[in-house]
Amino acid sequence: AVVPVGLTRYRDKLPELRTYTRDEARTIVNRLETVQKELLDRLGSRFVWPADEFYVTAELPFPSRAGYEDMQQFENGVGMAREFITNFNRRRSRLKGLDTSRRVLFLTGESAFPFLTREIMPYVTQHLRLKAELSPVKNRFWGNSVTVSGLLTGQDLLRRARARVSDIDTVVLPPNCLNHDDLFLDNMSLTQFSTALDRRVVVGQYQFADTLREVYS
């Protein structure tokens, strides 16, 4: 997995580093896709994959589902976006009888926001006619350059949800922002989050169609 460096705001007395520009990310993606073709011919596997973040930064479409083979690097953020989109598209036609009166706020990281806005939300709001708002959350805890939803803290998610609480009935959290003990990275518990917000809180699933059924049924 080729993953962009994660830079937090806690970098005192360390070498200066920066994030990638769009053009640099495009160069990396194009180079790696060329290498993939060479390795596929030679080894029968693409072997190396750019992380989803590179495609987002480069403003390029994600590869097809087959391009990720058996998703060997899924936990490193390689193919998560394509899997999410593919699974939703396969199941969305079965979404029936949802409650269109409920107002739901979906929280996500800044890196996922563009592709969710483009690939998922038009169907949710226009075809299904659900009252759904997708909101990107700035990562104040680690710094603005950390944009993935899995590194969002409870305090940052809570801050964003509170700003919209008067207009919503339910808040949906990203599926990867809590550990197995239902704790966020800053040790806030899911119970503390729900109590502070005083709204129904649902932890989303990687199968987004299932999440919609849960919050709108």
Side-chain angles (χ1 to χ4, degrees), residues 122-140:
Y123 190 89
V124 171
T125 58
Q126 297 170 25
H127 184 85
L128 298 176
R129 299 188 180 281
L130 298 178
K131 293 178 181 177
E133 177 185 344
L134 181 68
S135 182
V137 179
K138 286 190 177 296
N139 198 322
R140 296 187 183 181

Side-chain angles (χ1 to χ4, degrees), residues 4-37:
V5 62
L7 301 174
T8 74
R9 63 187 178 92
Y10 303 102
R11 291 191 48 77
D12 294 340
K13 300 179 181 179
L14 292 174
E16 183 177 351
L17 296 173
R18 61 172 176 81
T19 55
Y20 291 92
T21 66
R22 185 190 70 165
D23 288 344
E24 289 168 345
R26 287 190 173 193
T27 298
I28 289 169
V29 169
N30 291 335
R31 173 58 182 151
L32 289 176
E33 287 185 344
T34 298
V35 171
Q36 284 181 328
K37 293 175 183 177

